[in-house]
Amino acid sequence: MKKFPRLAAAVLMLALLLPLAGCGSADGKTHLTFQIWDVFQRPGMQAVCDAYTAQNPDVVIEVQVTSWGEYWTKLEAAGESNTMPDIFWMHTDQILYYADFGILADLTDLYDETDPNFFQDHYTEVSLGNASGTDGKIYGVPKDKDNVVLVYNKEMFDAAGVSYPDESWTWDDLTDASQRIYDATGKYGYMAYNDEQLGYWNFVYQNGGYILDPETNIHAGYTQTATADAIKYYVNLQKNDWCPDQNYFAETSPGTAFFSEQGAMFFEGSWNLLAELQNYPDMVGKWDIAPLPACPDPESGDGLATISNGLCYATAARGKNLEIVKDVLRFFGSEEGQRIQGESGAAIPAYLGQEDSWSTEFNKFDYVIDVQVCYDQFDHVIQYINNASRRKWKSTVADEMVRVYNGSDIDASLAKMQSIADSYVTAE
């Protein structure tokens, strides 16, 4: 997302001194808008809203869905004109940008009147980290959490006489099974495509490396030995006959290849699993999920890691209906609000103890994939990688990774990626 222009930023700071302009309602009720980007989650979000308005009949909440790309364009424009939705989703990639600009309401004290330790008692540090600004204040109510799993085709494993993946699997098992499946069926094995959260980041942290220094969260680690070794390993997987190259993925995503039965394994986010069961009914019973294979000989740590992200509910700092919206957000973050979201199948609730409510929709299928895998993996998650400067170098580093996959010298490219990231680091 481009930076706010200087003139627009000046206009914005002036606008923030004024309340949002709003239209009066003929029915005497307070009408709120709630903006999201995922149509699959709309029913779940509507269910949470309906539960709140059932208890507060003077409030009406309209859930509006906008595509991912259009969402951020519209939200930035709304921030510049001070016409933001009353409630909106905030993503880890964007929250620091909006929070540092003073656009988001500080929600750190949201529950202080009833429970000053509410956030700390009911949400993990990872969830709160995904909802916080660079100043450590909370600018969103944690909505959900996720992690990355290995999706596999049971029929292809059976055809190759390979045991299904489990918690004992390592990278060696992944490559061995891929070769045996390819030899037996002619189908691809593990499909290693160029992605961060669903790709090489997991390998980096399993090997004991890092994208951002875990101590400071400032300096990048692309040239750190464990990081470089893991990236080289991941990139070189595509040199095997059983792994498509990136030209293939330019036309066909790993998920599309998997559900058209062209490949046996890929990494997937927990947030997509229910939709895939619903969208591919002919495949139900043919596939399942397993924990991510561990690094067999990590340079540090136990070889286990999976990247975890999570959205949050946010609101503008100077909204016309700010106090009412805060009451809505208190409900969204409550045990009841999080349970309703989970039971709808929208996503795994961020609220501790409500995670398995997400199993409700899965249990309606004749064959249930093992979603317990997702819950178990929260024991060794790595918080989604982000800091205040990453949005400035993210796309440039991603472009360099494309060159790596296309055959550039990996060490030289990693040095360039390190230099790009370091160029945005400012002295603390």
Side-chain angles (χ1 to χ4, degrees):
M1 183 169 61
K2 62 182 183 298
K3 186 177 180 180
F4 284 119
R6 291 182 180 180
L7 177 59
V11 172
L12 171 62
M13 296 311 294
L14 177 61
L16 287 175
L17 299 177
L18 302 172
L20 277 171
C23 299
S25 173
D27 60 10
K29 297 183 178 183
T30 300
H31 288 251
L32 305 177
T33 55
F34 177 16
Q35 193 78 45
I36 68 175
W37 61 71
D38 185 355
V39 68
F40 175 76
Q41 292 199 42
R42 188 187 188 286
M45 295 301 93
Q46 189 63 62
V48 180
C49 292
D50 290 347
Y52 177 83
T53 56
Q55 300 173 23
N56 300 272
D58 290 337
V59 178
V60 177
I61 307 174
E62 179 187 358
V63 181
Q64 302 173 342
V65 183
T66 305
S67 65
W68 169 264
E70 189 178 7
Y71 183 94
W72 297 108
T73 301
K74 285 187 173 182
L75 195 65
E76 182 176 13
E80 293 176 355
S81 61
N82 201 31
T83 57
M84 299 187 82
D86 294 289
I87 308 165
F88 45 91
W89 282 355
M90 184 51 57
H91 190 275
T92 316
D93 266 346
Q94 304 290 343
I95 191 168
L96 300 180
Y97 177 50
Y98 282 88
D100 290 352
F101 253 108
I103 297 172
L104 304 182
D106 180 359
L107 302 176
T108 307
D109 302 329
L110 186 65
Y111 292 94
D112 272 11
E113 290 187 7
T114 56
D115 185 354
N117 296 316
F118 181 87
F119 281 126
Q120 291 71 26
D121 289 344
H122 298 296
Y123 293 96
T124 65
E125 289 185 13
V126 170
S127 290
L128 293 179
N130 288 333
S132 298
T134 54
D135 58 6
K137 295 180 179 179
I138 297 173
Y139 290 96
V141 172
K143 170 189 175 292
D144 57 45
K145 55 189 176 185
D146 59 41
N147 57 64
V148 182
V149 298
L150 176 68
V151 178
Y152 65 94
N153 184 299
K154 296 164 63 180
E155 292 185 341
M156 292 183 190
F157 272 75
D158 292 341
V162 179
S163 298
Y164 299 154
D166 59 24
E167 67 278 357
S168 70
W169 259 38
T170 69
W171 297 359
D172 294 338
D173 295 295
L174 182 74
T175 56
D176 177 67
S178 294
Q179 186 65 61
R180 291 173 63 184
I181 288 170
Y182 180 76
D183 291 343
T185 68
K187 304 294 186 180
Y188 293 119
Y190 171 63
M191 296 178 284
Y193 76 123
N194 180 14
D195 194 77
E196 296 176 336
Q197 185 179 6
L198 297 179
Y200 74 91
W201 277 1
N202 299 280
F203 283 75
V204 166
Y205 283 87
Q206 288 165 356
N207 195 40
Y210 58 84
I211 302 301
L212 290 174
D213 182 349
E215 297 296 325
T216 65
N217 203 41
I218 296 174
H219 297 279
Y222 289 105
T223 54
Q224 192 252 3
T225 301
T227 302
D229 288 348
I231 291 176
K232 291 174 184 177
Y233 179 91
Y234 186 80
V235 170
N236 286 331
L237 290 177
Q238 70 175 5
K239 294 181 178 180
N240 294 285
D241 290 339
W242 49 258
C243 183
D245 62 19
Q246 302 310 304
N247 292 324
Y248 177 89
F249 293 132
E251 301 292 333
T252 307
S253 71
T256 299
F258 180 86
F259 287 104
S260 60
E261 301 184 81
Q262 297 305 305
M265 292 176 282
F266 76 111
F267 281 8
E268 180 61 289
S270 58
W271 60 92
N272 281 329
L273 299 176
L274 181 58
E276 287 164 343
L277 280 172
Q278 295 173 338
N279 292 338
Y280 301 98
D282 293 342
M283 286 289 288
V284 173
K286 294 183 178 182
W287 63 282
D288 210 329
I289 63 174
L292 295 192
C295 178
D297 186 22
E299 298 195 25
S300 65
D302 59 9
L304 299 171
T306 174
I307 305 300
S308 180
N309 193 13
L311 308 184
C312 62
Y313 303 108
T315 189
R318 298 286 179 177
K320 175 185 176 183
N321 302 303
L322 185 56
E323 292 309 310
I324 295 175
V325 169
K326 284 185 175 180
D327 191 59
V328 175
L329 294 180
R330 273 189 285 271
F331 179 78
F332 282 11
S334 70
E335 182 175 10
E336 181 182 1
Q338 294 275 311
R339 174 183 56 76
I340 293 169
Q341 177 200 222
E343 290 175 346
S344 75
I348 301 173
Y351 193 100
L352 289 169
Q354 285 299 316
E355 292 90 346
D356 63 359
S357 64
W358 185 61
S359 300
T360 304
E361 284 296 311
F362 289 89
N363 291 334
K364 295 179 180 179
F365 289 87
D366 292 335
Y367 174 82
V368 182
I369 63 172
D370 187 12
V371 294
Q372 184 64 42
V373 168
C374 301
Y375 307 145
D376 292 343
Q377 284 200 137
F378 284 120
D379 290 339
H380 49 265
V381 297
I382 300 297
Q383 182 176 340
Y384 185 86
I385 295 94
N386 200 32
N387 65 11
S389 67
R390 183 173 168 263
R391 59 171 296 274
K392 300 175 183 177
W393 51 262
K394 174 184 176 181
S395 62
T396 311
V397 164
D399 289 343
E400 192 61 33
M401 275 299 296
V402 172
R403 296 185 184 94
V404 169
Y405 279 101
N406 287 334
S408 72
D409 180 87
I410 297 182
D411 286 318
S413 286
L414 291 176
K416 184 174 181 180
M417 291 159 67
Q418 183 72 36
S419 177
I420 292 168
D422 286 347
S423 70
Y424 289 99
V425 174
T426 56
E428 292 294 311

